[in-house]
Amino acid sequence: MTAPGMVRPAKRRKPFRLQQQPFFEDKNRAFWILQSAGWAGYFILRTLSGVANNMGWSFVLHVSVLTGTGYSITLLMAAAYRRLIRARPIVTWVLSIIIVAVAAASFSAIETWSHATFLRPGTKPEGLQFLSAIVLTVALLVAWSGLYFGINYYLLLEQQSDQLLRLESQASSAQLAMLRYQLNPHFLFNTLNSISTLVLLKQTEQANAMLSRLSSFLRYTLVNEPMGYVTVAQEVETLKLYLDIEKMRFEDRMRPRFDIDPAVARGRLPSLLLQPLVENAIKYAVTPQEEGADIAVTARKVGDRVLITVTDTGPGTDSGYTVRAEQSTGVGLANIRDRLAQAYGADHRFETQTNTSGGFSVTIEIPFQLEVSEEVK
């Protein structure tokens, strides 16, 4: 059950941490602590003031009545404010002023009765004495109202900020999934087209072998979430499965080589990030050359970064290579660039260049990240 002093928060799951719970994590508990502490402070300060002026124990009774009155009235005000806080500003302002005026009148009436009962029986505050009591009550209730609205507007802003972050995260995940889903249909089209060609040429053994390897590749890739991460070692194993399929087509014309630093093997990166780069190297370096081409994939750790390069020995001096790689299917270099932006924001580097000795290379630099469970260790 939610206390009248706090706006009902949206439920959020948070990871368990061995640390002190934030004060406003439990809004209900925070309200009662602040409410009780505030009026306890009011009671202590006014009591000390009376004792310092030799007002006697009757003044303590008077202050006790006022404290109980203020505590109760502000609970009623909180119940009303709870319904006003989400209303239009003009409605909130007008009704809040009316509520403060009614509450101040009620508080002052009880204060007048208490003054006549416990402090000076038979007399009533008049003139400046009565006016000062009214001003003090109004100031007190206005301050309480300002504190209430200030805290609750802050909590609402924090809640909306959390919702915005969750929506941005969901949008980013959806974008990553969309980019990732572009890869499989594209790859399947090329592979099935090759299998179809083998069948037409009645090379059934090669077609069966390619189908078997395609099945292994798809089984391996489907294990991972579309927007998920894999280790560098897992990504390399996926590339090797893919190259086993392509090896059926190009045989010795395609010469892959891997140079993976063991220090980066457990580093994380988006799944199937490198496959389109190798595919482009096959398409624009191996396919057009009778002698084929070498394809080198290297990964090494530089400080707290991972540097990955995919290099080929194809006709990289062709200025149209990059344009064709970007526009051939819409899932090549542009896809990689978008996925890196979604995964790392500005904290990454993606460069393409033509090698002076011929060939083309792509360089990716990303932060070195481990699985969360490994980071805790």
Side-chain angles (χ1 to χ4, degrees), residues 70-300:
Y71 195 96
S72 301
I73 286 178
T74 49
L75 284 181
L76 296 175
M77 292 172 64
Y81 288 165
R82 180 187 171 196
R83 291 164 175 77
L84 290 177
I85 197 166
R86 296 181 185 272
R88 290 182 300 172
I90 184 64
V91 175
T92 301
W93 274 100
V94 171
L95 293 182
S96 296
I97 292 172
I98 294 174
I99 289 171
V100 168
V102 173
S106 303
F107 196 114
S108 298
I110 294 175
E111 184 174 8
T112 300
W113 170 84
S114 178
H115 186 276
T117 302
F118 298 109
L119 298 182
R120 295 180 182 178
T123 64
K124 295 181 180 180
E126 296 179 355
L128 291 177
Q129 186 180 14
F130 183 77
L131 179 61
S132 63
I134 289 289
V135 171
L136 178 62
T137 300
V138 171
L140 180 65
L141 295 181
V142 167
W144 186 96
S145 300
L147 187 62
Y148 177 92
F149 280 115
I151 292 175
N152 276 280
Y153 277 128
Y154 166 77
L155 296 178
L156 284 173
L157 182 62
E158 186 182 53
Q159 178 182 332
Q160 292 172 357
S161 177
D162 289 345
Q163 291 175 345
L164 180 60
L165 288 176
R166 284 197 296 272
L167 290 174
E168 289 178 348
S169 177
Q170 292 170 1
S172 178
S173 296
Q175 177 71 6
L176 282 173
M178 182 195 71
L179 293 170
R180 168 68 164 72
Y181 279 133
Q182 287 178 348
L183 300 178
N184 281 345
H186 169 61
F187 164 70
L188 281 173
F189 173 80
N190 289 341
T191 304
L192 292 175
N193 188 52
S194 298
I195 293 173
S196 175
T197 301
L198 291 174
V199 171
L200 289 175
L201 295 175
K202 296 184 179 181
Q203 299 179 9
T204 56
E205 290 186 6
Q206 287 183 305
N208 286 333
M210 186 173 286
L211 278 172
S212 177
R213 292 172 182 176
L214 174 62
S215 175
S216 299
F217 175 79
L218 292 179
R219 186 183 302 111
Y220 190 91
T221 57
L222 290 174
V223 170
N224 301 306
E225 291 292 333
M227 68 288 290
Y229 289 77
V230 296
T231 64
V232 173
Q234 290 172 322
E235 182 75 357
V236 170
E237 288 302 314
T238 306
L239 283 178
K240 289 179 178 178
L241 285 172
Y242 167 71
L243 289 170
D244 283 343
I245 298 172
E246 296 295 351
K247 192 75 173 175
M248 299 291 297
R249 296 170 54 199
F250 297 101
E251 298 180 344
D252 293 337
R253 293 177 59 213
M254 184 183 70
R255 299 176 292 275
R257 178 173 59 85
F258 292 90
D259 182 10
I260 309 301
D261 183 354
V264 304
R266 294 184 296 115
R268 299 167 65 243
L269 75 170
S271 64
L272 284 187
L273 183 72
L274 304 182
Q275 189 264 347
L277 300 180
V278 174
E279 187 172 356
N280 276 337
I282 293 173
K283 186 172 183 178
Y284 298 112
V286 178
T287 301
Q289 299 187 118
E290 184 176 350
E291 71 278 14
D294 297 327
I295 301 175
V297 179
T298 64
R300 57 192 177 91

Side-chain angles (χ1 to χ4, degrees), residues 56-76:
W57 289 106
S58 58
F59 186 79
V60 176
L61 291 175
H62 173 66
V63 174
S64 298
V65 170
L66 296 184
T67 302
T69 301
Y71 195 96
S72 301
I73 286 178
T74 49
L75 284 181
L76 296 175

Side-chain angles (χ1 to χ4, degrees), residues 281 284-285 289 293-294 310-318 321-322 352-362:
Y284 298 112
Q289 299 187 118
D294 297 327
V310 177
T311 306
D312 63 61
T313 58
T317 53
D318 182 358
Y321 180 100
T322 303
T352 61
Q353 66 177 16
T354 299
N355 303 325
T356 55
S357 57
F360 191 80
S361 65
V362 179

